[in-house]
């Protein structure tokens, strides 16, 4: 199983990569939406994207819209927002754009494992 | 702890809430009551035991009982019980009762209310006219009941077990907290009830008889005899053919002959004969 972790904060990328590693995922990382699109081209077999919202260059929401706009990515991979945007309107906006789940920061490994299960991905490890 | 005080606490916990504490669990009492010392200006666990002995129905005694039992719970815990409601139990009940008949469900040991809420959300999504579903949540803990009644959960709590689609559909945001919507709240009622109390049946009677009882992650506290009594008391409040859902690792021992085992997705549910 492969996860793409997208966040401009290094500490979040590292933390998430460690958690996903413990859950049996191989982690690919990107620092903004632009890099994430490149990563998707290189790793079209990614199973889930853990996606920050606020990032420079291209934010998570714009990445999500671009990703779901591609025929081969209309529903795959699963996308889980991981963000400090905790307002209901943001959630509704992300869901409408094709996000599958939503994590409000801060998070822990239990929560990540639970959200993976909710999108139909069991912990692989 | 002094042996005499520990023995007193053991029998106090057993008598009051059926909690059976093994002889080697002194440390558990010590570690759990430590945070009560300052508030009550007591020196140690022995002093707590003596104070409880002086007033077994007072606030300190209640706090000790609370501290000795965990309220840990989460939305849609173990998932399969809620899938069983949706795919098996509600369809059966709707078939048997028609479109309008009342459906009564009891979350016995409801803690802070997540289980009752999850039942209410499941009903809202899979029962036509969900208003006819009545959910009773009971717990001996006054604090837990108060919390459940308020129905306001933290950001952490709403992210444990609950998919985002249910959150946005069934909760209103209040700053960083989330309040259960009125239409869901209207289906639920929370009250104090002690499962080991002989008056349990009388206490919940006006909310029953129950078609489904959730009694999860609480039976583990009891001795096998007490467990059998609790299940007997509960079964007297149920409809014939009603479902009993225990925790994933718990079984309704005792009068097993009165229960039919029903398998759902590899998990056991129990149906009252
Ligand atoms: C771990 S929680 C379980 C909550 C929920 N049923 C679940 O499975 O997530 C256990 C609850 O049982 C309650 N409890 C323990 N002994 C009890 C008793 N004798 N009568 C009523 N409630 C009791 C505790 O107060 C606590 O809220
Ligand atoms: Mg960011």
């Amino acid at each position: 199983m492969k996860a793409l972790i997208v966040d401009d904060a290094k500490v979040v990328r590292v933390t998430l990569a460690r958690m996903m590693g413990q859950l049996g995922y191989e982690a690919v990382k990107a620092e903004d939406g632009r890099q994430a699109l490149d990563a998707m081209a290189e790793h079209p077999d990614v199973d889930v994207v853990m996606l920050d919202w606020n990032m420079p260059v291209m934010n998570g929401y714009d990445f999500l819209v671009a990703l779901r706009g591609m025929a081969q990515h209309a529903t795959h991979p699963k996308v889980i927002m991981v963000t400090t945007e905790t307002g209901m309107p943001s959630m509704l906006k992300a869901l409408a754009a094709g996000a599958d789940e939503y994590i409000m920061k801060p998070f822990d490994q239990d929560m990540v494992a639970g959200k993976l299960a909710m999108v139909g991905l069991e912990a692989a490890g | 702890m002094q042996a005499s005080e520990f023995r007193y606490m053991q029998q106090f916990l057993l008598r009051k809430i059926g909690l059976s504490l093994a002889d080697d669990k002194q440390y558990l009492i010590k570690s759990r009551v430590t945070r009560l010392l300052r508030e009550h200006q007591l020196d140690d666990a022995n002093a707590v035991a003596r104070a409880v002995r002086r007033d077994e129905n007072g606030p300190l005694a209640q706090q000790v009982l609370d501290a000795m039992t965990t309220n840990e719970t989460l939305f849609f815990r173990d998932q399969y019980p809620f899938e069983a409601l949706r795919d098996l139990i509600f369809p059966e009940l709707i078939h048997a009762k028609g479109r309008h008949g009342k459906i009564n469900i009891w979350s016995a040991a409801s803690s802070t209310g997540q289980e009752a809420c999850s039942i209410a959300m499941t009903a809202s999504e899979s029962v036509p006219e969900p208003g006819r579903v009545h959910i009773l949540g009971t717990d001996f803990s006054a604090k837990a009941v108060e919390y459940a009644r308020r129905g306001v959960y933290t950001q952490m709590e709403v992210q444990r077990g609950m998919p985002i689609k249910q959150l946005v559909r069934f909760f209103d945001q209040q700053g960083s907290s989330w309040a259960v919507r009125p239409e869901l709240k209207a289906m639920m009622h929370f009250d104090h009830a002690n499962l080991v109390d002989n008056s349990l049946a009388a206490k919940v009677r006006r909310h029953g008889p129950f078609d489904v009882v959730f009694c999860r992650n609480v039976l583990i506290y009891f001795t096998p005899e007490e467990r059998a009594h609790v299940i007997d008391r509960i079964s007297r409040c149920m409809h014939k053919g009603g479902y009993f859902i225990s925790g994933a690792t718990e079984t309704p021992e005792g009068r097993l002959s009165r229960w039919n085992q029903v398998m759902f997705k590899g998990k056991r549910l129990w149906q009252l004969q």
Side-chain angles (χ1 to χ4, degrees), chain B residues 45-227:
Chain B
N46 294 312
V48 171
R50 282 191 292 272
V52 168
R53 206 195 281 254
R54 279 195 297 276
D55 184 5
E56 290 198 338
N57 298 311
L60 174 65
Q62 174 76 45
Q63 280 176 295
V64 168
L65 295 175
D66 255 336
M68 292 306 299
T69 54
T70 154
N71 294 120
E72 198 171 298
T73 184
L74 67 155
F75 290 99
F76 298 104
R77 185 170 191 170
D78 299 331
Q79 267 174 319
Y80 78 88
F82 307 95
E83 293 168 8
L85 277 182
R86 185 193 62 201
D87 299 340
L88 173 75
I89 301 173
F90 282 149
E92 270 184 30
L93 288 171
I94 291 162
H95 181 78
K97 295 181 182 239
R99 293 187 60 85
H100 304 285
K102 271 187 81 63
I103 295 174
N104 294 324
I105 305 183
W106 181 13
S107 166
S110 50
S111 188
T112 39
Q114 283 89 331
E115 183 172 86
C117 269
S118 307
I119 296 168
M121 287 188 267
T122 306
S124 280
E125 290 177 336
S126 55
V127 176
E129 300 186 42
R132 66 188 164 136
V133 178
H134 179 73
I135 302 156
L136 172 68
T138 61
D139 202 287
F140 85 84
S141 164
K143 241 171 62 196
V145 169
E146 198 43 54
Y147 198 94
R149 278 183 182 153
R150 218 173 133 241
V152 178
Y153 296 93
T154 67
Q155 181 171 303
M156 271 292 169
E157 287 167 337
V158 298
Q159 297 200 85
R160 297 217 185 275
M162 183 156 48
I164 191 68
K165 289 188 175 119
Q166 267 89 9
L167 178 66
V168 297
R169 173 161 175 199
F170 293 113
F171 289 76
D172 288 320
Q173 188 163 26
Q174 299 178 346
S176 61
S177 300
W178 297 83
V180 179
R181 291 241 169 98
E183 65 267 28
L184 217 56
K185 239 181 166 171
M187 300 165 71
M188 299 185 277
H189 179 88
F190 292 97
D191 212 342
H192 314 114
N194 190 336
L195 294 173
V196 306
D197 193 330
N198 278 319
S199 62
L200 179 71
K203 179 124 207 203
V204 302
R205 181 159 299 133
R206 71 187 181 90
H207 299 279
F210 298 98
D211 301 290
V212 188
V213 177
F214 282 63
C215 184
R216 305 194 303 147
N217 304 298
V218 65
L219 295 174
I220 32 159
Y221 292 125
F222 306 144
T223 60
E225 303 82 65
E226 190 59 67
R227 214 174 290 158

Side-chain angles (χ1 to χ4, degrees), chain B residues 9-64:
Chain B
M9 287 299 267
Q10 266 181 319
Q11 65 92 359
F12 167 73
L13 293 168
L14 189 63
R15 188 158 39 81
K16 280 288 184 183
I17 54 168
L19 177 64
S20 98
L21 200 64
D23 289 339
D24 60 353
K25 292 281 161 60
Q26 286 212 19
Y27 69 91
L28 209 61
I29 294 191
K30 270 167 75 179
S31 69
R32 298 280 179 85
V33 304
T34 301
R35 58 193 159 85
L36 303 176
L37 295 180
R38 186 199 290 260
E39 181 188 338
H40 294 272
Q41 302 192 333
L42 295 166
D43 290 334
D44 58 13
N46 294 312
V48 171
R50 282 191 292 272
V52 168
R53 206 195 281 254
R54 279 195 297 276
D55 184 5
E56 290 198 338
N57 298 311
L60 174 65
Q62 174 76 45
Q63 280 176 295
V64 168

Side-chain angles (χ1 to χ4, degrees), chain A residues 17-88:
Chain A
R18 179 172 43 75
M19 289 179 184
M20 296 301 285
Q22 271 162 16
L23 295 170
Y25 285 78
E26 179 193 334
V28 177
K29 293 181 225 156
E31 297 176 21
D32 60 53
R34 186 79 253 154
Q35 281 187 17
L37 284 174
D38 293 343
M40 280 310 302
E42 199 178 325
H43 306 273
D45 59 332
V46 157
D47 299 286
V48 59
V49 183
M50 308 298 287
L51 183 61
D52 185 23
W53 192 303
N54 296 308
M55 295 178 290
V57 187
M58 180 190 244
N59 71 32
Y61 178 78
D62 290 342
F63 164 82
L64 177 62
V65 171
L67 181 78
R68 290 301 189 223
M70 297 181 228
Q72 74 275 30
H73 292 311
T75 58
H76 180 93
K78 300 291 184 189
V79 174
I80 301 180
M81 302 301 299
V82 184
T83 172
T84 52
E85 290 296 321
T86 53
M88 173 101 78

